[in-house]
Amino acid sequence: MELDYEQYKLVKEALHERRIFLQTAPYLSAMLPIMLPIYKYWQVPYYWVGCKMYDVLAGKENMESSYLMSKGKALEAFPMLNQEGLVGAIVYYDGQHNDSRMNMALIMTAVQHGAVIANHVEVTDLHKNSEGKLTGAAVRDNLTGESWGIKAKGIINATGPFTDSLLKLDNPSHKPIVQPSSGVHITFPSYYSPRTMGLLDPQTSDGRVIFFLPWQGNTIAGTTDAKCEVEREPKAQEEDIQWVLEEVRRYLSPDIKVRRGDVLSAWSGIRPLVRNPNAASTEGLVRNHMIHVSESGLLTIAGGKWTTYRSMAEETVDEAVKVFGLENRVRSGCITERVRLVGSDGWTRNMFIGLIQRYGLSTDVAKHLSENYGDRAWTVCSLAEPTGESWPLHGIRLTPQYPFIEAEIRYACRHEYAQTAVDFIARRCRLAFLNSQTALDVLPRVVDVMAGELGWSSSRKRKELQEGAQFLESMGLAPGVEVLSAPHTWLEWAKSAVLGMKQKPDGRMYSRAQFEAGEVDSLKDIFATRAKGAGDGGTEGQLRVQKEDIRVILRETPGYENIRSKELEYVLDEAGFSKRGDFDFDEFIEICAGLKEVSLQPLRRGAKEERRSIPVARSGGGV
C-alpha cells in the first residue's frame, strides 16, 4: 500500500523461493491457509485488494487463490475466534516448514556434494598477507578448546546477527551495518488453534503484526520486530510474553482462558536487519539482503530471511567466483533450483504407511518421522529398539506427549554431527521450542543415549545435564528449575530418588493445570470451615462463604498467604464478582484460580512506556 519498491522486490523474490522450497524439500514444506479476521465492514475491500495483489505478484507460483469467508464459515474453520462484532474473514496461503530439520537437510546435502562441515568451531582471528589481503583464519573447537589455522583462497562472512563481529576482526574501525531485531514467540497447546488454519492479526494494540499458527503439533504465537542486543542465547522477556498473551486474548473467544500457565515455551530469535555500508546513513532498514566486499577481500552476505536463503546463497557464490578468481574452477551456473535436498528423492506422502507396516510404529510416530526425515526415516527406524509391547512394536518414545523416539538421538549422533544434548533437543528436533518443561524431563534420557553413542564420561554427562538445563531457561523454562546430575554413587542415587527434578525456593512454576493434584480437595476442606448453609438442612452445594471471610481463608491457606488486597479486588472485578457479598464453592475455586494466575505476572511498568519497535512496513513480516 506504500508503493515501496524495495518491499516489492523482497515479496516477489520470497514468492518465487517459496515455490522452490516446496519442490526441493517437499517433506519439510507445506502450504498453510492463514485467516485475517475482519471486524469492520470497510476492511473487507481493503484486505481483499491487498490479498489479491499478493496473488497477482505470485502469478504462476501462487499456491492457492485467496478467498472471502462469511462469519459462519470463519467460525466453522476457526471456532476459537472471538465472534463479537465479527464480519467475516479473508484467507490467503503461505508456506510453512520445520526450520531445524531444513537446516540439517541443507547441511547433509552440502556434505553429499563434497562440502567439509565443522560443528562448534569458532573463528578467532583472520590471517592476512603483506598486502592486507585475507589468506586464512584461526579457529577454535569450542568443545575441546583445540585451535588451529585454515588456509583459504577466500572467506565468506555469513554469520547473521554476528556479522559485525567478524567485520571488526577484519577492520577494527568498522562501523556496524546490522541492526539486531528480536522477535518473541510463545508456544501453546494444540487446542488453541485448528490443525489446518492459521490466523494473522495485522492491527494489534501498538501496530505490530501478530500471528497464531499450528506448528509441530502445538500452536505458536509471535510478533514482529523490536530492537535488541546480540547474544548467543537471547531470552524472551516476561513483559513481551504478557503482551502476546494480552493480544491473543483480544481475538480469541472470551470462554477461552488464555493463561500464563498454558505457555509451554517462550523464546526470542534475532533477525539481522541490515544497512548497506555504501548507502546514505538515512537509508531505512529492511529484510532484504546485501553483499559487501571489504578491502581485504572478505565477502559478507547479511540480512535476508529463511524464505530467500537459496537465492542469497546463489548471489553470494556468484560474487565469490568473481572476487576470488575461481572462474576456471566453475563448470556450470547455479543449479540449486533443481537440487532436491537429502531425504526428498524416495519420499511420498504415503510413505508413513510403509513405516508402520514394516516396523510396527505408532501412526503419529510414523508420520513424524516421514515429515521430518523424508526417506531417511527408514534409517532412523533401523536404529529403533523394540518397545516390548504388543503394539507398537518399535519406537520407544522420549515422552508420551510427543512422537519423538530414542532412535532419533542415535541417528543424530551417527549421521547429523550432534555433539551435545542441546544439539539434539533444540537443533536436531524442536522439543525445546515445543515444550521446555518436557525437554527438561527427557534431558537425562537424551544424555544417557548420547553418552552410549559418544562415549561420555560421568563428568561429561553431569556437564551436559547442567548446560542443557541452563539453555532451557532461554526457552521459557520456569525460573529456578534445575536438573540433578546423573547419579553415580549410592548417595547420589538416594538423592535423585527423593528429589528428582527440584525447584529452588524462589522459583515459580508455570503449570497448565491451575491446581496441583489434591489441591482442590484441600481448598474444599478449608472452604467448609468458614462456609455457612443457605438455610436449614442446606446441602454442600448451598454452602456459601462471605466476602469478608475470603481474605481470612486465604491467609490460612498455604500458597495464598502473600496475596495482596489489590490482587484480590482485581480478580473479583475480572470475574464479575466485585459487587457480590458471598460465594459458593465453584465461585471460590474460580477466585483461587484467578489469584494463582495473577501471582505469576510480573510487576508491570508504566502503561505509557514507549516500545522500541521497528515499523512493520520495514520488518518484512511473514516467513
Side-chain angles (χ1 to χ4, degrees):
M1 296 299 182
E2 296 179 1
L3 301 179
D4 188 322
Y5 183 62
E6 289 299 315
Q7 288 296 314
Y8 166 81
K9 289 195 300 182
L10 178 64
V11 172
K12 190 72 176 174
E13 179 186 38
L15 290 170
H16 174 68
E17 293 299 320
R18 186 182 68 180
R19 172 59 66 180
I20 296 174
F21 247 100
L22 295 170
Q23 294 169 349
T24 58
Y27 67 96
L28 289 171
S29 311
M31 294 188 300
L32 179 69
I34 300 178
M35 176 188 296
L36 281 74
I38 301 174
Y39 288 91
K40 296 176 182 177
Y41 283 100
W42 66 265
Q43 291 177 331
V44 174
Y46 179 79
Y47 286 150
W48 186 85
V49 169
C51 287
K52 287 304 173 185
M53 287 176 61
Y54 190 73
D55 292 343
V56 171
L57 279 177
K60 64 180 182 180
E61 291 164 342
N62 197 22
M63 294 175 169
E64 295 285 348
S65 295
S66 56
Y67 58 90
L68 275 167
M69 297 180 79
S70 65
K71 175 180 177 179
K73 288 292 184 182
L75 291 173
E76 181 181 343
F78 208 113
M80 305 83 174
L81 201 59
N82 186 354
Q83 59 181 305
E84 186 177 350
L86 182 67
V87 173
I90 290 183
V91 176
Y92 75 99
Y93 284 78
D94 212 331
Q96 189 179 54
H97 75 141
N98 182 335
D99 51 349
S100 68
R101 297 307 312 163
M102 179 69 77
N103 191 45
M104 285 312 305
L106 287 168
I107 291 170
M108 301 315 298
T109 304
V111 170
Q112 196 176 61
H113 285 78
V116 176
I117 302 298
N119 197 14
H120 294 281
V121 174
E122 179 181 4
V123 173
T124 57
D125 195 15
L126 296 174
H127 297 159
K128 299 180 181 179
N129 60 19
S130 57
E131 298 175 353
K133 299 296 183 180
L134 292 174
T135 59
V139 299
R140 179 179 64 240
D141 184 331
N142 284 330
L143 294 179
T144 66
E146 181 184 357
S147 297
W148 67 94
I150 297 176
K151 292 183 179 180
K153 261 195 170 183
I155 298 176
I156 297 176
N157 175 17
T159 53
F162 300 97
T163 295
D164 287 321
S165 299
L166 206 65
L167 286 169
K168 283 189 177 180
L169 273 181
D170 176 50
N171 178 12
S173 62
H174 161 76
K175 294 181 180 179
I177 62 173
V178 172
Q179 169 60 68
S181 164
S182 71
V184 173
H185 305 76
I186 62 179
T187 309
F188 290 108
S190 59
Y191 49 74
Y192 266 79
S193 71
R195 294 298 81 209
T196 57
M197 179 73 74
L199 187 144
L200 185 142
D201 181 5
Q203 291 190 327
T204 60
S205 59
D206 66 358
R208 291 186 286 180
V209 172
I210 191 168
F211 57 82
F212 199 66
L213 310 172
W215 185 69
Q216 297 293 301
N218 282 353
T219 299
I220 185 174
T223 181
T224 54
D225 303 295
K227 294 178 183 178
C228 68
E229 300 297 325
V230 175
E231 51 185 323
R232 288 185 180 271
E233 293 179 4
K235 295 183 180 180
Q237 299 301 309
E238 186 65 29
E239 179 188 0
D240 291 321
I241 295 173
Q242 293 293 340
W243 181 85
V244 175
L245 291 173
E246 289 170 7
E247 294 301 325
V248 169
R249 288 187 186 102
R250 291 177 60 240
Y251 57 80
L252 290 190
S253 176
D255 62 349
I256 298 176
K257 303 297 182 183
V258 180
R259 304 169 47 249
R260 178 60 176 86
D262 284 339
V263 176
L264 303 180
S265 64
W267 74 94
S268 176
I270 300 178
R271 301 182 181 97
L273 302 182
V274 296
R275 188 189 308 277
N276 192 322
N278 301 319
S281 59
T282 56
E283 185 151 320
L285 300 167
V286 294
R287 288 278 287 277
N288 300 57
H289 61 271
M290 71 92 189
I291 295 174
H292 172 67
V293 181
S294 305
E295 292 182 2
S296 65
L298 179 64
L299 196 163
T300 296
I301 170 72
K305 55 183 184 177
W306 244 121
T307 312
T308 59
Y309 83 91
R310 193 212 58 82
S311 63
M312 291 167 60
E314 179 179 350
E315 290 180 37
T316 304
V317 173
D318 286 347
E319 185 69 15
V321 169
K322 292 186 291 184
V323 172
F324 303 144
L326 302 173
E327 289 88 347
N328 61 337
R329 304 285 297 275
V330 176
R331 289 177 291 181
S332 69
C334 181
I335 61 171
T336 53
E337 283 198 18
R338 303 186 299 277
V339 174
R340 287 163 69 84
L341 301 187
V342 160
S344 299
D345 289 337
W347 179 83
T348 66
R349 296 193 182 279
N350 295 321
M351 193 188 83
F352 75 95
I353 298 175
L355 294 174
I356 296 172
Q357 293 172 335
R358 179 176 299 182
Y359 289 100
L361 302 174
S362 297
T363 301
D364 60 336
V365 169
K367 285 185 176 181
H368 158 72
L369 295 178
S370 172
E371 293 169 1
N372 285 280
Y373 295 89
D375 61 23
R376 296 297 173 102
W378 298 104
T379 305
V380 178
C381 288
S382 70
L383 303 175
E385 296 182 348
T387 62
E389 301 175 4
S390 59
W391 190 267
L393 302 179
H394 289 86
I396 300 174
R397 291 178 184 253
L398 287 171
T399 171
Q401 297 171 256
Y402 297 97
F404 302 110
I405 60 174
E406 291 182 1
E408 295 178 71
I409 308 174
R410 300 185 185 94
Y411 180 83
C413 292
R414 299 181 192 183
H415 302 288
E416 294 184 341
Y417 300 91
Q419 295 294 304
T420 69
V422 173
D423 278 351
F424 178 75
I425 63 174
R427 305 181 186 115
R428 302 304 184 275
C429 76
R430 274 293 187 241
L431 183 56
F433 292 79
L434 291 170
N435 192 321
S436 57
Q437 182 61 53
T438 299
L440 181 71
D441 294 341
V442 306
L443 186 60
R445 183 55 187 159
V446 172
V447 169
D448 283 343
V449 175
M450 293 189 75
E453 291 292 322
L454 303 175
W456 288 346
S457 64
S458 298
S459 59
R460 175 64 187 273
K461 290 172 69 174
R462 283 193 291 268
K463 179 183 177 184
E464 289 295 327
L465 285 169
Q466 293 164 358
E467 292 183 351
Q470 183 178 356
F471 169 80
L472 288 171
E473 289 184 10
S474 69
M475 304 305 299
L477 191 67
V481 176
E482 61 182 22
V483 59
L484 290 176
S485 300
H488 300 284
T489 67
W490 70 268
L491 182 60
E492 289 178 341
W493 278 108
K495 286 175 63 179
S496 73
V498 173
L499 299 176
M501 304 297 178
K502 69 176 184 179
Q503 176 156 358
K504 296 176 183 176
D506 59 344
R508 294 177 301 185
M509 285 295 291
Y510 300 133
S511 174
R512 289 177 62 185
Q514 291 174 320
F515 299 104
E516 300 298 326
E519 188 175 350
V520 173
D521 290 334
S522 298
L523 289 172
K524 181 183 291 186
D525 293 339
I526 295 170
F527 176 83
T529 62
R530 291 278 177 175
K532 300 175 182 178
D536 294 335
T539 64
E540 182 182 325
Q542 295 174 307
L543 293 175
R544 307 183 73 83
V545 68
Q546 297 300 307
K547 185 176 183 179
E548 57 269 19
D549 288 335
I550 290 283
R551 293 183 179 85
V552 178
I553 294 175
L554 293 174
R555 282 197 295 268
E556 298 173 352
T557 305
Y560 297 86
E561 58 270 21
N562 295 322
I563 295 294
R564 296 174 295 178
S565 296
K566 285 187 177 179
E567 292 174 333
L568 178 58
E569 293 299 331
Y570 172 79
V571 169
L572 291 174
D573 186 58
E574 283 290 299
F577 296 159
S578 57
K579 297 181 179 180
R580 296 277 297 279
D582 56 11
F583 310 96
D584 62 22
F585 178 68
D586 289 336
E587 293 165 340
F588 172 70
I589 286 293
E590 185 175 347
I591 293 169
C592 291
L595 289 170
K596 295 190 75 165
E597 189 71 18
V598 168
S599 68
L600 291 176
Q601 297 185 13
L603 293 174
R604 307 302 299 274
R605 300 176 184 176
K608 295 184 179 180
E609 181 181 7
E610 182 179 357
R611 290 184 177 273
R612 298 187 304 157
S613 60
I614 294 174
V616 173
R618 289 293 180 186
S619 75
V623 289

